[in-house]
Amino acid sequence: MSETPPENADFDAMTRDIAEVPAVEVIVTVAVNLMSAAAVKLGLSEEGEKYKDLDEARKLITALAGLLDASTTEISSFHAAPLRDGLKSLQLAFREASIVPDEPGHGPGEKYTGPVYG
């Protein structure tokens, strides 16, 4: 008969692990995950159209823009600059993928970044 470990054992281990991770690393990891998910929802993955969902992409891009806007002063420009570049690329890809593009300043995340132009 095998003993089942307590359910909170994994949670305790995860808590210890996350306690050792610097905040900058957590922020960057979340940003990269948002970028990756947005790219898939924009149809930029290998299977393209299969996962394309512009409504979902808009939400992810806006969340990414908000995160970067709020954390820019907390993370160094070493980390922030490539994330901002990636965000801009996603915003431009969204504009290109849209049948009726948003007006400049009204696209996903542009309330945080300002208007994005090609």
Side-chain angles (χ1 to χ4, degrees):
M1 189 150 115
S2 65
E3 290 185 32
T4 306
E7 289 181 28
N8 65 345
D10 289 337
F11 181 75
D12 291 342
M14 287 173 33
T15 301
R16 279 191 303 277
D17 291 344
I18 201 74
E20 297 170 8
V21 179
V24 170
E25 190 173 325
V26 173
I27 292 167
V28 170
T29 300
V30 170
V32 169
N33 285 330
L34 287 168
M35 292 173 84
S36 298
V40 169
K41 296 297 185 176
L42 284 169
L44 302 176
S45 67
E46 285 184 20
E47 297 185 37
E49 294 295 317
K50 181 177 179 182
Y51 300 111
K52 189 173 183 179
D53 184 337
L54 294 183
D55 184 51
E56 291 290 302
R58 177 183 294 276
K59 293 171 189 172
L60 292 162
I61 294 168
T62 299
L64 174 61
L67 173 64
L68 294 181
D69 182 54
S71 63
T72 296
T73 59
E74 303 300 326
I75 61 177
S76 67
S77 60
F78 174 79
H79 295 291
L83 294 173
R84 282 193 303 266
D85 291 344
L87 170 60
K88 183 177 180 180
S89 294
L90 290 170
Q91 289 170 311
L92 291 171
F94 183 92
R95 188 174 304 281
E96 186 177 304
S98 297
I99 295 170
V100 179
D102 297 314
E103 292 291 322
H106 297 284
E110 290 184 12
K111 70 180 180 179
Y112 300 108
T113 64
V116 175
Y117 302 99

